[in-house]
Amino acid sequence: MSTKNLYDDKAREKIKELAEDVDFCMLVTNMDEKPLSAVPMSTKQVDDHGAVWFLSKNDSEHNRNIEKDSDVQLLYSGTSDMEFLSVYGEAFIETNRDVIKELYSKADNAWFDGEDDPSVTAIKVNPKEAYYWDNKDNKMVTMFKLGMAAVSGNNQDIGEKGKLEL
């Protein structure tokens, strides 16, 4: 696996690509205490500045944790395509109804009572530091290449990893 660090616009593009492709991540809050608090979240949007957006209930444990300490970690694991992303950042709770309506989709009705539900908030995560692992091929091809490397002793190009600096 080769290392390719990305900067500024390229880093934001890689965060957007991987976060939207994988979609679900674990949002880790309350990082100063053990055990960590981690909940699955669906990425609603990655904006042009690289901020990652989610929807959440105003009385959720993770909203309360963000209000106490805004440091969060997002852990994306797309095992079918062997894509992984770790984002450390600062989270903000957004209650602007226009923002919530922009992010809301019909699928969100599984968790909320429509886009006008007063309990819906948005969470915006501004990345401070990120790291990615992105295999160029799907899981089967990657496993085959790893097997070839084990048998032949030759290096195999299985993808890229690197730091994303915004």
Side-chain angles (χ1 to χ4, degrees):
M1 184 164 272
S2 59
T3 299
K4 184 176 180 183
N5 296 328
L6 301 174
Y7 304 90
D8 301 319
D9 288 344
K10 295 288 185 195
R12 282 187 280 281
E13 289 170 16
K14 185 56 107 174
I15 289 173
K16 182 175 181 67
E17 171 194 332
L18 292 175
E20 290 180 350
D21 190 36
V22 175
D23 183 15
F24 283 90
C25 73
M26 295 302 290
L27 167 66
V28 180
T29 59
N30 203 29
M31 296 193 302
D32 288 338
E33 296 190 24
K34 293 179 185 172
L36 298 172
S37 177
V39 294
M41 299 291 283
S42 176
T43 303
K44 297 306 293 180
Q45 175 183 312
V46 180
D47 67 25
D48 293 338
H49 303 288
V52 185
W53 290 85
F54 306 94
L55 291 178
S56 179
K57 285 198 176 245
N58 60 1
D59 63 350
S60 67
E61 181 181 4
H62 45 279
N63 274 40
R64 288 192 305 271
N65 288 342
I66 290 168
E67 289 170 356
K68 290 188 287 183
D69 180 1
S70 61
D71 290 339
V72 299
Q73 188 88 33
L74 306 177
L75 301 171
Y76 289 87
S77 179
T79 55
S80 63
D81 290 327
M82 301 297 283
E83 299 173 320
F84 306 92
L85 176 65
S86 173
V87 178
Y88 171 74
E90 185 174 13
F92 301 91
I93 307 294
E94 177 64 63
T95 58
N96 181 304
R97 300 314 299 174
D98 291 332
V99 170
I100 291 166
K101 286 182 181 193
E102 180 183 331
L103 297 173
Y104 201 90
S105 71
K106 288 186 182 201
D108 297 316
N109 289 336
W111 292 276
F112 307 105
D113 293 328
E115 65 183 31
D116 294 319
D117 180 343
S119 72
V120 181
T121 65
I123 296 174
K124 177 184 181 182
V125 176
N126 289 329
K128 291 182 179 179
E129 186 175 307
Y131 204 88
Y132 75 101
W133 299 262
D134 188 5
N135 292 350
K136 295 178 180 177
D137 302 302
N138 67 31
K139 187 176 184 178
M140 292 299 292
V141 173
T142 299
M143 297 307 267
F144 176 76
K145 286 182 175 182
L146 290 171
M148 290 297 295
V151 170
S152 69
N154 295 329
N155 288 340
Q156 295 287 319
D157 181 13
I158 59 168
E160 297 174 341
K161 64 181 174 85
K163 190 170 186 176
L164 300 170
E165 297 191 32
L166 305 165

